[in-house]
Amino acid sequence: MNIEQMTEQLQAIIMSALTKAQESHNPELNPEHILAAMAEDTGLDGIWQRLKINKEQLIKFLNDCISKLPTQTDAGQPMLSRAVSEGYTKALDYMKKQGDTYMSTVAMLIGLLSTNASGVQELKKQFGINVKDVQDAE
């Protein structure tokens, strides 16, 4: 994951997600960590509103998902999960298709929602959204 290729807002979200993973003693950085950091940030508030997603319910849902992830007593620096790597690759594809130089938060959101990670699938089901909905809301 090339942090230099991300907008400053997305860099801050990734750092927040890493902190969240460390504080939760999760050995891996998972999509749920990044999505929770996105929900807690104000940058996507317009997207959440257009998708008719209650931000407080979204944050609670994601924090519940994080509490169910595997933990280690001495997790150290979390490694990227396969799902985050896959989401990042899909976000890169979306970014290039849009002709963007830097990866935006929306691109990362679309990339993560394009994965088959169980937490992501549950989120899409729970809130009734999909990738196309997010693209339309953008």
Side-chain angles (χ1 to χ4, degrees), residues 16-130:
S16 176
L18 280 167
T19 299
K20 188 175 286 295
Q22 285 177 315
E23 289 173 352
S24 301
H25 302 285
N26 301 127
E28 289 187 322
L29 178 67
N30 286 290
E32 294 87 346
H33 297 112
I34 299 173
L35 292 166
M38 286 178 176
E40 290 167 357
D41 187 80
T42 58
L44 291 177
D45 284 357
I47 299 274
W48 304 133
Q49 288 171 357
R50 287 188 288 283
L51 293 171
K52 296 179 177 32
I53 292 177
N54 179 307
K55 191 171 156 174
E56 290 174 10
Q57 289 177 347
L58 178 61
I59 292 168
K60 182 184 178 334
F61 171 83
L62 290 165
N63 284 331
D64 287 347
C65 288
I66 290 169
S67 71
K68 296 173 188 167
L69 292 172
T71 60
Q72 280 182 233
T73 51
D74 186 24
Q77 182 71 18
M79 303 296 294
L80 291 183
S81 70
R82 182 196 56 75
V84 168
S85 295
E86 179 185 347
Y88 175 73
T89 301
K90 290 176 186 268
L92 273 177
D93 293 343
Y94 179 78
M95 177 187 105
K96 289 174 184 168
K97 197 183 308 181
Q98 297 299 310
D100 295 335
T101 307
Y102 293 96
M103 183 180 294
S104 68
T105 306
V106 172
M108 181 60 97
L109 175 62
I110 288 169
L112 291 173
L113 290 177
S114 299
T115 69
N116 290 323
S118 59
V120 170
Q121 295 304 312
E122 187 61 33
L123 176 136
K124 288 164 48 174
K125 181 178 160 189
Q126 179 88 16
F127 292 92
I129 62 167
N130 59 43

